Amino acid sequence: MHDVSPVTIRGSSDLDVSAQDRAKTTYRARLRQEENMILRWAQLWRMITLSATGKTLFPYARYIRALDLGDLEELLGDSKFKDRVSNMFFDGELDACKVETTGFRKNQMRLDAISTSNTLGDVITASTPMLEELSGKLQNGALLRWIPRLPRLRLLNLWDGGALVAAGPLLRQNCHEFKTLSLWGWDHPEADAKFADFLNEINPQTLESLEVFSNIAIRAESLLALSCHRDSLTELKLGHVNSTAMLSLNLLAGCTNLTTLLLTDGTNRSVDLKNDHNDVFLETIEWLRSCKKLRSVTIRDIRGGQHLMTPVLLENDIHLVTLELKGYVMADAQDFHHALANQPSLQELQLQGDTDEAGDGVAVLVESLCKLNNLTDLRLQDISDYFTDEVIGRLARSLPKLEGWWTSGWGVTDAIWRDVARLNSLKRLDMAALSRFTTNGILEFILGLGPGNKGLVLAVMMADVDCDLTEEEQGMIRETIAAQVDGRFEFQLQRDPDVSDGLEADQKVIAAHKCYAMTATTALTAQDTQGVSDIHHIPPTFVSKQIDMCIDDIGVDIVKIGMLASAETVMVATSGSQLLPNSAITNLRQHLLPLTTILTPNIPEAKLLLTNAGISFPAIDSITEIIHMASLLQRLSPKHVLIKGGHIPFNSELHPAQNPDERKLVIDVLHSGHGKDVIVFKTQFSESGNTHGTGCSLASAIASNLALGCEVGPAVEKACRYVERGIRTAVDLGRGSGPINHFHALEVTDGDGVGSSLRMEVWRG
């Protein structure tokens, strides 16, 4: 239902407008558009729910075939689902479906989106006899109530496998069409046994597809239980194969009707079957070779994955169409690369592994690739780092059906364009090679494109810095490719890893403090020392997966939030670029700040937050105004506020400097609440231009000190000293604001070995 709805916004691009369109639309107009979208989204779900109770003219619920309660949960959890939208949705009899829980503040209640979506699910499923697909975060017991109502159910997509407990017999009795199961996780010590019970309890030889996305304890019992469906199972995707499961893969010996297989190590600690458990390795290979119907195989980050695949590729009765192998060592893969040539049926091939600088490994790989002339999509990562003009040209001549091609390379020039232009069906070319293309060379290639290349995306992602294209040249190329084939051109210089942006600075700082950093990337920025030119948002569902993997595996002591892209805590960069879309500040203020231990805004960010909250603040003329600004921010519910004063240096009279010569001090203020002491940090102003990433560095240093057991005051003091030394010992890089020196000492100490001007003052609260 949600996938075909014209008003649902979950996973759609309805709200993804271009930067040009955003520039034409005022903030208030965009806010109204988003609120109206939420309103229409809510009206859809209200209408569906009411139709299940017979309160609408047309019984919409009776015709629903796919119901995604995750979409409903996302609606209920949206920050704009409040006031008139919430009142409209729960008006009348739906008010009884509202489930609330204690909020972040005392005596405050908030909507429990999961429980409420399940309560509404109770209502909806009572009148959906044609329902075939059910998705969402189902609470324990929900399926037991709903299954008897859903005789046509054939697919379950569950966030937590715990919902399956005791559901097997009911599915067996009521849902004879059930055949597809997807699980996002099942973190329970008895998950393996309980899942095995479920597989044994449903109708035998009926399950056709099983997909496990992340954390689920599938081990020997579950894998053995799959033999109950050995004849029916055609698709098996195990996205979190741990060492125990790897040692049990041979128990799948009976499941030989597979057409699709995916194995991913979610722990990066999988065992090496070939070298350490050769008996299991041989039995697993025998199983794979027996799967004669295999058409699609994906092996990601499985140690020795190339050794598992080599016998499969050599099996003459197996004709693969799609193959992906990620995380292998090229130097130990010559047999695998040779065997690739035995699969001319391949249409899609993705390979990623540690490269081999020596020529032999590359030569063997290229020789086999050239024989796969049915390939339509080829993606080579890392293993192609030493591809030359000659290699890329040869591949282009040998693979005439290519539609998509992603490759790296070394010293690639305009010499490739003549051969690449022969690819009459090419729709996307991602050139992640260190390249030295010219404007004329690229234009000549584009002008040779034909009708089969319509819509081509040409991405040059690692151009040599000496071969930069001016904005005018890039504009000319974009206009030409748009006119020639209605295509698009993307360009990016080789990224210098020493130009630290937030995420890179965070990791260096945390490592310098002898802590371990785990990251969830929310946005990619195109930036250099001179500023931020573009931002690419990572899908929220993928961000969530990154976070879950970190927390479930290693665990965390401190969470430091930097750039969130749709609700960034980094709002204004050192360079002055505003990274935060205005529409996201409210979300940050309402949902993140009440959970925050310490908020570390610079002065422009502090002003943005206060303006968004409708709180007026005085102009800064002394330390007193900064303290007052910090106290105002305290009203927004963070436990501590550290205002960073680097944007407004002070003179020796403790007033804002009026000219560059007056800049003597940087003032930072730590405010910990009404009635508590305020700590003022004074640091000598540094003329250094190397301040890129200072905000992220300071916040990560504070987070590291807190993780090491410091109280907030000492944690901030140590962090300020660390950043000051980093600025004072930095070397000049780039043409703008260069990075600080994150590793100015092998050991982070409190002493003045590198020298520090920091002085602290306590202002009584």
Side-chain angles (χ1 to χ4, degrees), residues 126-370:
S127 301
T128 53
M130 299 181 69
L131 190 68
E132 298 177 358
E133 302 178 8
L134 178 62
S135 306
K137 295 181 181 178
L138 305 192
Q139 295 175 316
N140 291 347
L143 269 181
L144 307 186
R145 298 190 301 273
W146 300 353
I147 286 175
R149 313 170 180 174
L150 309 174
R152 298 192 179 189
L153 186 68
R154 61 179 182 85
L155 179 149
L156 283 173
N157 185 345
L158 303 178
W159 185 264
D160 187 347
L164 295 175
V165 175
L170 290 173
L171 283 170
R172 181 171 187 154
Q173 180 180 355
N174 296 279
C175 306
H176 302 294
E177 299 298 320
F178 179 72
K179 56 186 176 182
T180 303
L181 176 62
S182 298
L183 297 177
W184 287 89
W186 195 348
D187 188 12
H188 190 279
E190 298 181 10
D192 186 38
K194 292 182 179 296
F195 188 42
D197 289 342
F198 171 81
L199 293 172
N200 285 314
E201 290 167 351
I202 62 177
N203 285 310
Q205 308 303 338
T206 56
L207 189 65
E208 297 180 5
S209 174
L210 172 63
E211 183 169 11
V212 175
F213 291 95
S214 58
N215 184 26
I216 177 170
I218 283 188
R219 295 186 175 89
E221 289 190 60
S222 300
L223 295 177
L224 187 60
L226 282 173
S227 62
C228 294
H229 306 277
R230 58 185 178 275
D231 296 333
S232 60
L233 191 65
T234 59
E235 182 178 65
L236 179 61
K237 297 182 178 181
L238 303 180
H240 197 87
V241 181
N242 56 29
S243 296
T244 305
M246 281 293 297
L247 293 174
S248 304
L249 286 179
N250 55 336
L251 298 178
L252 292 168
C255 300
T256 58
N257 279 328
L258 294 178
T259 59
T260 300
L261 174 66
L262 179 147
L263 299 174
T264 299
D265 173 23
T267 66
N268 293 319
R269 296 194 298 270
S270 66
V271 297
D272 188 336
L273 291 182
K274 180 181 180 182
N275 294 321
D276 299 333
H277 304 275
N278 194 252
D279 55 338
V280 177
F281 172 73
L282 294 175
E283 291 176 0
T284 302
I285 282 180
E286 193 59 34
W287 160 57
L288 292 173
R289 292 180 60 199
S290 300
C291 298
K292 306 297 186 183
K293 298 179 181 179
L294 271 179
R295 294 297 178 266
S296 175
V297 177
T298 300
I299 307 289
R300 297 177 185 148
D301 301 318
I302 301 292
R303 289 180 63 186
Q306 71 273 25
H307 301 308
L308 287 174
M309 283 306 305
T310 299
V312 176
L313 297 177
L314 293 174
E315 192 67 32
N316 291 328
D317 292 334
I318 293 178
H319 306 286
L320 295 180
V321 176
T322 301
L323 173 63
E324 176 184 347
L325 181 63
K326 175 183 176 183
Y328 70 101
V329 179
M330 190 174 186
D332 190 28
Q334 288 213 15
D335 289 343
F336 167 74
H337 289 154
H338 274 297
L340 280 172
N342 200 52
Q343 292 292 323
S345 56
L346 277 170
Q347 296 177 20
E348 299 179 13
L349 177 63
Q350 297 187 42
L351 301 175
Q352 183 273 326
D354 293 339
T355 189
D356 181 7
E357 187 171 354
D360 291 346
V362 170
V364 172
L365 172 62
V366 173
E367 191 66 32
S368 290
L369 290 177
C370 288

Side-chain angles (χ1 to χ4, degrees), residues 552-593:
D552 292 343
D553 183 20
I554 296 177
V556 295
D557 295 304
I558 297 291
V559 176
K560 184 265 182 185
I561 302 177
M563 184 175 179
L564 297 182
S566 56
E568 291 90 333
T569 55
V570 176
M571 294 181 284
V572 180
T574 302
S575 61
S577 300
Q578 181 174 336
L579 305 177
L580 176 65
N582 291 325
S583 59
I585 300 179
T586 301
N587 285 341
L588 183 149
R589 177 172 56 82
Q590 293 179 343
H591 300 295
L592 280 181
L593 295 195

Side-chain angles (χ1 to χ4, degrees), residues 430-448:
D430 292 276
M431 190 59 62
L434 183 61
S435 58
R436 301 181 60 83
F437 300 133
T438 66
T439 300
N440 288 338
I442 296 174
L443 288 174
E444 185 176 348
F445 163 69
I446 292 173
L447 292 173

